[in-house]
Amino acid sequence: MIRILANDGVHADAITLLEEAEYQVDTERVPQDKLASVLNRYDALIVRSATKVRQQEIDAAPNLKIIVRGGVGLDNIDVAYAESKGIKVINTPRSSSQAVAELVFAHMFSLARQLHLSNREMPTRGATEFKKLKDHYSDLGFQLRGRTLGVLGFGRIGQEVARIGLGLGMNVVPVDLVQRELKLEVELYKLQDAALSVTMRTVSMEEMLPQADFITIHIPFTGGKSILGKEQFERMKKGVVLINTSRGGAINEPELLEALDSGRVMAAGLDVFVDEPMPRADLLNHPRISVTPHIGASTVEAQGKIGLEIADILLEFFGTPG
Protein backbone atom coordinates (compact mmCIF):
# COMPACT_ATOMS: atom_id res chain seq x y z
CA MET A 1 0.00 0.00 0.00
CA ILE A 2 1.17 3.51 -0.86
CA ARG A 3 1.34 5.64 2.30
CA ILE A 4 1.04 9.42 2.04
CA LEU A 5 1.47 12.09 4.70
CA ALA A 6 -0.44 15.29 3.90
CA ASN A 7 1.23 17.29 6.64
CA ASP A 8 -0.32 20.66 5.84
CA GLY A 9 -3.67 19.15 4.92
CA VAL A 10 -5.17 18.49 1.49
CA HIS A 11 -8.65 18.98 0.02
CA ALA A 12 -11.19 16.25 0.73
CA ASP A 13 -11.63 15.54 -2.99
CA ALA A 14 -7.96 14.56 -3.24
CA ILE A 15 -8.28 12.25 -0.24
CA THR A 16 -11.32 10.58 -1.81
CA LEU A 17 -9.54 9.96 -5.11
CA LEU A 18 -6.41 8.61 -3.46
CA GLU A 19 -8.29 6.37 -1.05
CA GLU A 20 -10.38 5.01 -3.93
CA ALA A 21 -7.05 3.95 -5.45
CA GLU A 22 -6.29 2.15 -2.16
CA TYR A 23 -3.67 4.65 -0.99
CA GLN A 24 -3.45 5.48 2.71
CA VAL A 25 -3.59 9.23 3.36
CA ASP A 26 -2.70 10.56 6.82
CA THR A 27 -3.71 14.17 7.44
CA GLU A 28 -2.92 14.64 11.13
CA ARG A 29 -0.24 17.31 11.28
CA VAL A 30 3.17 16.26 12.61
CA PRO A 31 5.05 19.15 14.29
CA GLN A 32 8.18 20.26 12.47
CA ASP A 33 10.50 19.03 15.24
CA LYS A 34 8.90 15.55 15.12
CA LEU A 35 8.65 15.22 11.35
CA ALA A 36 11.97 13.45 10.82
CA SER A 37 10.97 10.73 13.28
CA VAL A 38 7.91 9.64 11.26
CA LEU A 39 8.87 10.15 7.61
CA ASN A 40 10.37 6.66 7.27
CA ARG A 41 6.78 5.34 7.24
CA TYR A 42 5.79 7.16 4.07
CA ASP A 43 6.20 6.85 0.31
CA ALA A 44 4.95 10.37 -0.44
CA LEU A 45 4.77 13.70 1.37
CA ILE A 46 2.33 16.51 0.60
CA VAL A 47 3.12 19.97 2.03
CA ARG A 48 2.13 23.56 1.56
CA SER A 49 4.22 26.44 2.92
CA ALA A 50 4.22 25.61 6.64
CA THR A 51 6.22 22.37 6.61
CA LYS A 52 9.94 22.61 5.90
CA VAL A 53 11.65 19.68 4.21
CA ARG A 54 15.39 20.06 4.65
CA GLN A 55 18.35 17.67 4.71
CA GLN A 56 17.46 16.37 8.18
CA GLU A 57 13.99 15.29 7.10
CA ILE A 58 15.17 13.89 3.78
CA ASP A 59 17.89 11.78 5.42
CA ALA A 60 15.26 10.35 7.78
CA ALA A 61 13.00 9.25 4.91
CA PRO A 62 14.58 6.27 3.09
CA ASN A 63 11.25 5.18 1.60
CA LEU A 64 10.16 8.62 0.40
CA LYS A 65 9.83 8.74 -3.39
CA ILE A 66 8.03 12.02 -4.07
CA ILE A 67 7.31 15.37 -2.35
CA VAL A 68 4.38 17.40 -3.68
CA ARG A 69 4.07 21.06 -2.77
CA GLY A 70 0.49 22.27 -2.94
CA GLY A 71 1.14 25.71 -4.40
CA VAL A 72 3.67 27.53 -6.51
CA GLY A 73 6.96 28.01 -4.63
CA LEU A 74 9.44 25.36 -3.53
CA ASP A 75 11.57 27.44 -1.15
CA ASN A 76 10.49 25.40 1.90
CA ILE A 77 11.98 22.26 0.32
CA ASP A 78 15.65 21.48 -0.28
CA VAL A 79 14.94 20.46 -3.86
CA ALA A 80 18.51 19.78 -4.95
CA TYR A 81 19.25 17.54 -1.96
CA ALA A 82 15.97 15.65 -2.33
CA GLU A 83 16.62 15.01 -6.00
CA SER A 84 20.17 13.90 -5.25
CA LYS A 85 18.56 11.19 -3.10
CA GLY A 86 16.28 10.11 -5.92
CA ILE A 87 13.17 11.88 -4.54
CA LYS A 88 11.01 13.66 -7.11
CA VAL A 89 9.88 17.17 -6.11
CA ILE A 90 6.94 18.79 -7.85
CA ASN A 91 4.55 21.69 -7.24
CA THR A 92 1.07 22.62 -8.48
CA PRO A 93 1.44 25.94 -10.31
CA ARG A 94 -1.70 25.76 -12.45
CA SER A 95 -4.35 25.75 -9.75
CA SER A 96 -3.85 28.90 -7.68
CA SER A 97 -3.07 31.59 -10.27
CA GLN A 98 -6.52 33.16 -10.26
CA ALA A 99 -6.75 33.21 -6.46
CA VAL A 100 -3.35 34.88 -6.04
CA ALA A 101 -4.08 37.41 -8.79
CA GLU A 102 -7.36 38.40 -7.16
CA LEU A 103 -5.62 38.91 -3.81
CA VAL A 104 -3.17 41.27 -5.53
CA PHE A 105 -6.11 43.47 -6.51
CA ALA A 106 -7.74 43.12 -3.11
CA HIS A 107 -4.64 44.81 -1.66
CA MET A 108 -4.55 47.39 -4.43
CA PHE A 109 -8.18 48.40 -3.93
CA SER A 110 -7.74 48.39 -0.17
CA LEU A 111 -4.78 50.76 -0.35
CA ALA A 112 -6.34 52.96 -3.02
CA ARG A 113 -9.41 53.58 -0.83
CA GLN A 114 -7.76 53.19 2.61
CA LEU A 115 -9.96 50.19 3.49
CA HIS A 116 -7.23 48.67 5.66
CA LEU A 117 -7.23 51.79 7.86
CA SER A 118 -10.94 52.56 7.88
CA ASN A 119 -11.67 49.02 9.08
CA ARG A 120 -9.33 49.64 12.02
CA GLU A 121 -10.56 53.14 12.84
CA MET A 122 -14.32 53.08 12.16
CA PRO A 123 -15.19 50.70 15.05
CA THR A 124 -13.49 52.97 17.62
CA ARG A 125 -13.81 56.46 16.09
CA GLY A 126 -16.76 56.25 13.72
CA ALA A 127 -19.50 57.00 16.24
CA THR A 128 -17.99 60.35 17.23
CA GLU A 129 -15.75 61.30 14.29
CA PHE A 130 -17.63 60.00 11.23
CA LYS A 131 -17.45 63.28 9.28
CA LYS A 132 -13.78 63.76 10.10
CA LEU A 133 -12.95 60.25 8.90
CA LYS A 134 -15.03 60.70 5.74
CA ASP A 135 -13.20 63.90 4.83
CA HIS A 136 -9.83 62.32 5.62
CA TYR A 137 -10.33 59.22 3.47
CA SER A 138 -11.97 61.23 0.68
CA ASP A 139 -8.78 63.27 0.35
CA LEU A 140 -6.62 60.13 0.11
CA GLY A 141 -8.62 57.95 -2.30
CA PHE A 142 -7.71 57.32 -5.93
CA GLN A 143 -8.83 55.04 -8.78
CA LEU A 144 -6.97 52.25 -10.56
CA ARG A 145 -8.26 52.92 -14.07
CA GLY A 146 -5.62 54.69 -16.13
CA ARG A 147 -2.80 53.82 -13.71
CA THR A 148 0.29 51.88 -14.82
CA LEU A 149 0.77 48.41 -13.34
CA GLY A 150 4.25 46.88 -13.38
CA VAL A 151 4.10 43.08 -13.25
CA LEU A 152 7.47 41.71 -12.12
CA GLY A 153 7.48 38.12 -13.34
CA PHE A 154 5.23 37.06 -16.19
CA GLY A 155 4.45 33.42 -15.60
CA ARG A 156 0.98 32.02 -14.93
CA ILE A 157 0.19 34.33 -12.00
CA GLY A 158 1.72 37.41 -13.60
CA GLN A 159 -0.34 36.85 -16.74
CA GLU A 160 -3.52 36.43 -14.70
CA VAL A 161 -2.74 39.71 -12.91
CA ALA A 162 -2.27 41.36 -16.31
CA ARG A 163 -5.64 40.11 -17.53
CA ILE A 164 -7.43 41.62 -14.54
CA GLY A 165 -5.47 44.86 -14.84
CA LEU A 166 -6.32 45.21 -18.52
CA GLY A 167 -9.97 44.55 -17.71
CA LEU A 168 -9.85 47.41 -15.18
CA GLY A 169 -8.44 49.79 -17.76
CA MET A 170 -4.88 49.83 -16.41
CA ASN A 171 -1.75 50.19 -18.51
CA VAL A 172 0.14 46.93 -17.88
CA VAL A 173 3.94 46.82 -18.18
CA PRO A 174 5.21 43.23 -17.72
CA VAL A 175 8.77 42.26 -16.83
CA ASP A 176 10.18 38.80 -17.51
CA LEU A 177 13.59 37.14 -17.48
CA VAL A 178 13.26 36.64 -21.24
CA GLN A 179 11.92 39.65 -23.13
CA ARG A 180 9.26 38.45 -25.55
CA GLU A 181 5.89 39.11 -27.10
CA LEU A 182 2.86 36.99 -26.23
CA LYS A 183 -0.88 37.11 -26.68
CA LEU A 184 -3.23 37.18 -23.71
CA GLU A 185 -6.90 36.30 -23.93
CA VAL A 186 -8.90 38.63 -21.68
CA GLU A 187 -12.34 37.09 -21.12
CA LEU A 188 -15.35 39.38 -21.19
CA TYR A 189 -17.59 37.50 -18.79
CA LYS A 190 -20.79 39.41 -19.59
CA LEU A 191 -20.59 38.51 -23.27
CA GLN A 192 -21.00 34.83 -24.01
CA ASP A 193 -17.98 33.27 -25.72
CA ALA A 194 -16.33 36.67 -26.10
CA ALA A 195 -12.70 37.49 -25.38
CA LEU A 196 -10.27 40.29 -26.14
CA SER A 197 -6.90 39.24 -27.52
CA VAL A 198 -4.04 41.51 -26.45
CA THR A 199 -0.43 41.28 -27.62
CA MET A 200 1.99 42.27 -24.86
CA ARG A 201 5.72 42.91 -24.93
CA THR A 202 7.75 42.23 -21.81
CA VAL A 203 10.42 44.78 -20.88
CA SER A 204 13.39 45.03 -18.55
CA MET A 205 12.94 45.98 -14.91
CA GLU A 206 14.94 49.15 -15.57
CA GLU A 207 12.35 50.21 -18.16
CA MET A 208 9.38 49.38 -15.93
CA LEU A 209 10.45 50.92 -12.60
CA PRO A 210 10.10 54.65 -13.43
CA GLN A 211 6.74 54.13 -15.19
CA ALA A 212 4.72 52.11 -12.70
CA ASP A 213 2.17 53.45 -10.23
CA PHE A 214 1.77 49.92 -8.86
CA ILE A 215 4.32 47.09 -8.87
CA THR A 216 3.43 43.50 -8.04
CA ILE A 217 6.00 40.71 -7.63
CA HIS A 218 5.60 37.22 -9.10
CA ILE A 219 9.18 35.98 -9.26
CA PRO A 220 10.26 33.09 -6.98
CA PHE A 221 12.58 34.20 -4.17
CA THR A 222 15.10 31.64 -2.91
CA GLY A 223 16.56 33.48 0.08
CA GLY A 224 19.29 35.48 -1.66
CA LYS A 225 19.31 39.22 -2.29
CA SER A 226 15.91 40.91 -2.30
CA ILE A 227 14.42 41.71 -5.69
CA LEU A 228 13.23 45.15 -4.59
CA GLY A 229 15.15 47.31 -2.12
CA LYS A 230 16.61 50.78 -1.69
CA GLU A 231 18.40 50.80 -5.04
CA GLN A 232 15.20 49.94 -6.92
CA PHE A 233 13.02 52.26 -4.79
CA GLU A 234 15.17 55.21 -5.83
CA ARG A 235 14.50 54.47 -9.52
CA MET A 236 10.72 54.15 -9.04
CA LYS A 237 8.13 56.85 -9.53
CA LYS A 238 7.66 58.65 -6.20
CA GLY A 239 4.46 57.47 -4.54
CA VAL A 240 4.47 53.98 -6.02
CA VAL A 241 2.42 51.19 -4.40
CA LEU A 242 4.12 47.79 -3.97
CA ILE A 243 2.40 44.41 -3.66
CA ASN A 244 4.10 41.17 -2.60
CA THR A 245 2.13 37.91 -2.71
CA SER A 246 5.19 35.96 -3.84
CA ARG A 247 7.66 35.18 -1.05
CA GLY A 248 8.83 36.92 2.11
CA GLY A 249 12.14 38.68 1.49
CA ALA A 250 11.44 39.48 -2.15
CA ILE A 251 11.05 43.07 -0.89
CA ASN A 252 13.71 44.15 1.61
CA GLU A 253 11.56 44.79 4.69
CA PRO A 254 13.75 47.31 6.60
CA GLU A 255 14.37 49.30 3.42
CA LEU A 256 10.65 49.20 2.60
CA LEU A 257 9.85 50.74 5.99
CA GLU A 258 12.37 53.51 5.34
CA ALA A 259 10.90 54.18 1.90
CA LEU A 260 7.36 54.31 3.32
CA ASP A 261 8.38 56.74 6.05
CA SER A 262 10.21 58.98 3.57
CA GLY A 263 7.28 58.98 1.12
CA ARG A 264 9.32 57.42 -1.68
CA VAL A 265 6.86 54.48 -1.56
CA MET A 266 3.24 55.47 -0.91
CA ALA A 267 1.97 52.12 0.37
CA ALA A 268 2.48 48.35 0.28
CA GLY A 269 0.30 45.26 0.34
CA LEU A 270 1.98 42.23 1.89
CA ASP A 271 0.74 38.64 2.02
CA VAL A 272 4.19 37.17 2.76
CA PHE A 273 6.91 38.00 5.26
CA VAL A 274 10.48 37.06 6.13
CA ASP A 275 9.72 35.84 9.64
CA GLU A 276 6.58 33.78 9.07
CA PRO A 277 4.66 32.82 11.09
CA MET A 278 5.71 35.78 13.32
CA PRO A 279 6.20 38.84 11.08
CA ARG A 280 7.79 41.93 12.54
CA ALA A 281 5.29 44.14 14.36
CA ASP A 282 6.27 47.38 12.64
CA LEU A 283 5.16 45.92 9.30
CA LEU A 284 1.86 44.65 10.67
CA ASN A 285 1.05 47.96 12.34
CA HIS A 286 2.30 50.42 9.74
CA PRO A 287 -0.57 52.70 8.64
CA ARG A 288 0.38 52.43 4.96
CA ILE A 289 0.72 48.64 4.77
CA SER A 290 -2.21 46.33 4.00
CA VAL A 291 -1.52 42.86 5.39
CA THR A 292 -2.86 39.31 4.98
CA PRO A 293 -1.49 36.10 6.55
CA HIS A 294 -0.10 34.28 3.47
CA ILE A 295 -3.51 33.45 1.98
CA GLY A 296 -2.78 33.87 -1.74
CA ALA A 297 -4.03 30.41 -2.69
CA SER A 298 -6.52 30.10 0.15
CA THR A 299 -9.84 30.11 -1.64
CA VAL A 300 -12.34 27.27 -1.78
CA GLU A 301 -11.95 27.07 -5.54
CA ALA A 302 -8.15 27.10 -5.56
CA GLN A 303 -7.82 24.52 -2.79
CA GLY A 304 -10.16 22.18 -4.62
CA LYS A 305 -8.16 22.53 -7.84
CA ILE A 306 -4.85 22.09 -5.99
CA GLY A 307 -6.16 18.93 -4.32
CA LEU A 308 -7.22 17.44 -7.64
CA GLU A 309 -3.87 18.36 -9.22
CA ILE A 310 -2.04 16.69 -6.32
CA ALA A 311 -4.15 13.55 -6.67
CA ASP A 312 -3.46 13.44 -10.42
CA ILE A 313 0.28 13.81 -9.82
CA LEU A 314 0.41 10.97 -7.28
CA LEU A 315 -1.85 8.62 -9.26
CA GLU A 316 0.28 9.14 -12.34
CA PHE A 317 3.50 8.67 -10.36
CA PHE A 318 2.54 5.50 -8.45
CA GLY A 319 -0.22 4.14 -10.66
CA THR A 320 -3.25 2.24 -9.37
CA PRO A 321 -3.35 -1.30 -7.97
CA GLY A 322 -3.98 -4.13 -10.39
Side-chain angles (χ1 to χ4, degrees):
M1 177 183 287
I2 304 299
R3 299 192 66 185
I4 301 167
L5 174 62
N7 205 47
D8 296 330
V10 68
H11 196 273
D13 290 348
I15 297 173
T16 299
L17 288 172
L18 294 169
E19 289 182 342
E20 285 177 350
E22 300 182 13
Y23 294 13
Q24 177 181 323
V25 184
D26 294 340
T27 58
E28 185 174 347
R29 177 169 173 76
V30 179
Q32 185 70 48
D33 60 350
K34 300 287 195 303
L35 187 60
S37 66
V38 304
L39 278 181
N40 63 330
R41 307 174 196 168
Y42 294 99
D43 303 288
L45 174 64
I46 301 169
V47 300
R48 289 181 63 189
S49 59
T51 297
K52 308 295 187 289
V53 190
R54 307 300 187 200
Q55 183 172 342
Q56 175 186 351
E57 288 78 23
I58 294 165
D59 285 341
N63 301 314
L64 199 62
K65 301 172 183 65
I66 184 170
I67 302 169
V68 185
R69 160 72 160 92
V72 179
L74 290 169
D75 49 299
N76 56 320
I77 302 168
D78 191 332
V79 177
Y81 191 72
E83 292 179 342
S84 76
K85 296 293 184 177
I87 301 170
K88 183 178 180 66
V89 181
I90 191 166
N91 61 0
T92 58
R94 297 193 304 271
S95 302
S96 58
S97 300
Q98 181 72 39
V100 176
E102 289 188 9
L103 182 64
V104 168
F105 285 91
H107 279 290
M108 288 168 61
F109 280 116
S110 178
L111 291 165
R113 301 304 297 271
Q114 305 296 310
L115 303 185
H116 66 301
L117 278 182
S118 63
N119 276 282
R120 295 183 203 176
E121 296 187 334
M122 283 286 291
T124 57
R125 296 176 56 194
T128 57
E129 299 181 67
F130 189 93
K131 180 66 165 60
K132 185 183 293 185
L133 289 171
K134 178 182 177 181
D135 292 344
H136 176 66
Y137 292 129
S138 296
D139 291 342
L140 295 174
F142 58 92
Q143 296 175 198
L144 271 60
R145 180 175 293 275
R147 304 277 176 168
T148 296
L149 172 61
V151 182
L152 186 48
F154 212 50
R156 288 183 178 90
I157 298 174
Q159 290 178 32
E160 199 59 54
V161 167
R163 289 186 180 95
I164 298 173
L166 290 168
L168 288 169
M170 301 185 81
N171 174 36
V172 178
V173 182
V175 175
D176 205 24
L177 295 176
V178 179
Q179 293 185 37
R180 56 192 168 131
E181 283 193 357
L182 69 163
K183 285 189 176 181
L184 290 182
E185 293 292 324
V186 182
E187 295 182 17
L188 305 175
Y189 292 100
K190 290 185 179 179
L191 302 176
Q192 187 175 5
D193 299 325
L196 174 66
S197 181
V198 179
T199 299
M200 307 206 70
R201 180 180 67 90
T202 60
V203 303
S204 67
M205 185 156 71
E206 289 71 24
E207 186 175 341
M208 178 273 290
L209 289 177
Q211 298 183 54
D213 301 295
F214 294 85
I215 297 174
T216 176
I217 301 176
H218 303 289
I219 293 176
F221 178 65
T222 57
K225 185 179 178 182
S226 297
I227 297 162
L228 297 181
K230 183 177 181 180
E231 179 183 345
Q232 290 74 34
F233 299 156
E234 290 175 351
R235 303 211 304 270
M236 294 175 189
K237 181 185 291 188
K238 187 173 182 181
V240 67
V241 176
L242 306 179
I243 310 292
N244 185 15
T245 58
S246 177
R247 285 293 175 268
I251 299 178
N252 184 297
E253 291 179 349
E255 292 176 359
L256 172 62
L257 288 166
E258 291 177 8
L260 286 164
D261 291 340
S262 72
R264 166 59 59 181
V265 172
M266 179 191 294
L270 304 178
D271 184 51
V272 289
F273 306 86
V274 172
D275 295 322
E276 294 182 24
M278 297 185 67
R280 49 192 295 169
D282 48 4
L283 285 173
L284 299 181
N285 292 295
H286 199 286
R288 286 190 279 128
I289 298 181
S290 170
V291 292
T292 47
H294 203 150
I295 58 168
S298 299
T299 65
V300 172
E301 296 87 347
Q303 289 307 302
K305 291 177 183 178
I306 289 171
L308 293 176
E309 190 173 350
I310 288 171
D312 287 344
I313 288 168
L314 292 173
L315 290 169
E316 182 178 352
F317 184 82
F318 289 111
T320 55

